[in-house]
Amino acid sequence: RAAPRAVGPRAGADGSGRLSTWLAPVRAGDRLTGETEVLGARGSASRPRIGFLKLRTWLQNQAGERVIESEYSVMLLRREAA
């Protein structure tokens, strides 16, 4: 299984399709907060109870500087239609 190619020394992939980019160093004692943005959503064509989300997550330090960004997909169970 091939992992996505990462560009530059600050980017990396963990084998799950997640691409992470370190933007700044994180040090002991830093207070990190994060946000996640939904980039896309789709249902499975073959399994109607399964859905996929494409997400972008980032963390920032106490100074408001982004220190890492990641893009990845997750598979979830879908709710019944109301």
Side-chain angles (χ1 to χ4, degrees):
R1 179 172 172 181
R5 286 182 40 184
V7 178
R10 294 184 178 184
D14 66 6
S16 67
R18 176 188 311 235
L19 179 64
S20 298
T21 304
W22 288 93
L23 306 171
V26 175
R27 294 179 171 72
D30 281 356
R31 178 171 289 165
L32 303 177
T33 58
E35 295 183 39
T36 299
E37 174 185 10
V38 177
L39 301 176
R42 68 176 179 84
S44 169
S46 61
R47 298 177 64 193
R49 296 261 308 134
I50 301 293
F52 299 92
L53 291 178
K54 184 169 183 178
L55 305 170
R56 177 184 297 134
T57 297
W58 58 89
L59 296 176
Q60 58 189 31
N61 62 19
Q62 65 277 4
E65 301 168 322
R66 284 191 184 185
V67 295
I68 189 170
E69 292 182 353
S70 294
E71 283 191 19
Y72 53 98
S73 295
V74 295
M75 181 172 50
L76 305 166
L77 285 175
R78 296 173 70 181
R79 290 188 294 210
E80 297 288 330

